[in-house]
Each structure stands twice: as C-alpha cells, then as structure tokens.
Amino acid sequence: MEKRMAGLFDLDGVIFDTESEYTRFWREQGKLAHPEIPDFSSRLKGRTLREILAEYFPQEQQAREIVRRIDDFERQMDFPFIKGSLEFVGILKQNGVKVAIVTSSDDKKMKNVYRIYPQLKTLFDAIITADRITRSKPDPECYLLAAEQLGRKPAECVVFEDSFPGLEAGRRAQMKVVGLATTNAEDQIRDKADRVIPDFSRFTFSDFVHLYSIK
C-alpha cells in the first residue's frame, strides 16, 4: 500500500561516497585558476556546473577546458555507495514510500552513473538533475519540484543531504531534513537538520517514520 511519504536523496555524499573525489578535483582546479581563493572547492558544493562556470570560469575557452576535464574525471569514477544507502532506498520502496534523487549534477554526468548502475533509473520514482532547474541549492526549487513530481506535499517529504547548501534547501522547502556527516562533521550540521547520521547502516524505516512526529 502506498504511503503519503517521500524520501528525497541528494546524490554525491548521500547515495554515493564521492564528495572527497570532487573536493580533490575542484581543489586542483582552484589552485590553477583561482589561487586567491583558498577554500575554492568548499564554495562549489551543492552548486550546478552551469553556475560554477558562469561565476568562476566565464571565458569560453576556459569553461570548455573545465568541462572537458570534469567529463574525463567523471568517466573514470567508480561511484561507490555510502554504506547502506541503496538498501535503505529499497526498504522505503518496499514500504510504499516514493523516492527521488535530487542532485546538482547534470544529465551528462548521470549518463556515466547509469552506465554503471542502470537500475537507478527504475529504482527511483523521479530523478531531478541540474538540467531541470533554474536555481541551484540552497534555493528550494529542486526539492519542491521533486515533491510535485511525486505528488507529495512538502510536509510529507524527508530530505537526505550532506552539504550546507543542500541542508538549507531542504529547510527552505519546509521539509524534514536528515544530515549525512559524510562531507561535514556532525557538529557542523547538527543545527541544520532534524537528525544527523554517519551513513544508513543503522537508520531504519521506523526512524524515517518517526521524523514526521518532530515539530
């Protein structure tokens, strides 16, 4: 029986354990192009490539080179799962809960993901990418679009996020928020989420349902 609930999952740092790889990639690009910005990689978390290029690589030739580099980088990625993430999504589905991926990644990157894990296209009821939105996190547009796509009200949705912009987007969408301490330490995100977990290995369906009783 379908339940009036939905789980909305960011991708990198929530489903996939890839945030550290992206941090290294963007840190290197920052050293080459913006050595004056010491925290360059952290400024980009949760943002779409379109916005990153517009703000930090506005010249056409420079942007083209960055796109080439990240395409090469993502084609070689393994996309390992965060512990328990895939199993937890399966449990939600078994219990009649709608699930969606809500990511700042674009469709081109997702093609690399589907090449390795084609089952994701059928496991999730909706997949919202950067190509479907106009404003990236922390704007709530992506999460509100996911709720609409699933036929759910914001109050019926639980967001799973790891980055500061993503956590804020979930809050601004008026949804319950679970923070994954995969990119930032637990004490850094504790006040930005209804609950913080290290991964999904001990997060149960009962824990998910309990979030709806939190005021």
Side-chain angles (χ1 to χ4, degrees):
M1 183 172 130
E2 185 178 77
K3 294 181 171 59
R4 297 295 304 177
M5 297 184 285
L8 311 183
F9 297 81
D10 179 37
L11 191 66
D12 296 291
V14 174
I15 297 296
F16 292 134
D17 189 10
T18 47
E19 273 299 333
S20 60
E21 295 181 65
Y22 279 110
T23 295
R24 287 193 294 272
F25 174 84
W26 287 115
R27 184 182 295 137
E28 184 60 30
Q29 306 316 309
K31 288 179 181 177
L32 294 172
H34 290 286
E36 77 282 4
I37 306 177
D39 60 340
F40 185 73
S41 63
S42 64
R43 294 191 182 198
L44 311 186
K45 293 186 184 301
R47 303 187 66 181
T48 65
L49 180 59
R50 180 176 62 244
E51 289 187 335
I52 294 170
L53 295 177
E55 183 168 350
Y56 296 105
F57 305 97
Q59 297 180 4
E60 184 177 349
Q61 184 175 355
Q62 191 181 38
R64 194 182 305 118
E65 177 61 19
I66 289 295
V67 170
R68 183 192 67 77
R69 291 177 188 175
I70 197 165
D71 283 349
D72 289 344
F73 171 76
E74 290 176 339
R75 273 195 294 269
Q76 298 173 42
M77 290 177 69
D78 295 328
F79 299 106
F81 287 104
I82 293 289
K83 188 175 181 180
S85 61
L86 197 62
E87 293 82 358
F88 180 71
V89 172
I91 289 170
L92 293 187
K93 292 278 286 186
Q94 291 168 18
N95 283 277
V97 177
K98 294 284 190 179
V99 293
I101 287 175
V102 184
T103 177
S104 297
S105 300
D106 58 22
D107 290 340
K108 185 187 293 185
K109 183 263 191 71
M110 293 306 293
K111 286 182 181 179
N112 292 317
V113 173
Y114 300 146
R115 176 173 48 83
I116 303 173
Y117 302 114
Q119 68 269 33
L120 292 188
K121 288 192 284 187
T122 53
L123 176 62
F124 287 89
D125 301 293
I127 297 178
I128 307 299
T129 68
D131 294 300
R132 299 196 57 197
I133 61 172
T134 59
R135 300 177 300 279
S136 68
K137 304 167 186 178
D139 193 282
E141 178 189 11
C142 57
Y143 282 115
L144 293 174
L145 178 59
E148 180 182 358
Q149 184 86 19
L150 298 178
R152 297 291 181 265
K153 298 175 183 177
E156 296 170 333
C157 298
V158 176
V159 166
F160 293 86
E161 267 286 359
D162 65 305
S163 70
F164 294 131
L167 294 163
E168 183 179 342
R171 285 285 203 214
R172 289 173 63 182
Q174 301 297 303
M175 299 173 180
K176 291 294 191 298
V177 178
V178 175
L180 273 289
T182 53
T183 301
N184 301 288
E186 179 178 349
D187 60 351
Q188 293 180 297
I189 63 174
R190 190 179 297 117
D191 63 341
K192 299 171 176 59
D194 297 291
R195 178 163 176 179
V196 177
I197 58 176
D199 53 45
F200 293 92
S201 59
R202 296 186 180 180
F203 191 72
T204 67
F205 181 67
S206 295
D207 293 327
F208 178 83
V209 173
H210 176 68
L211 286 168
Y212 292 91
S213 66
I214 299 175
K215 302 300 183 183

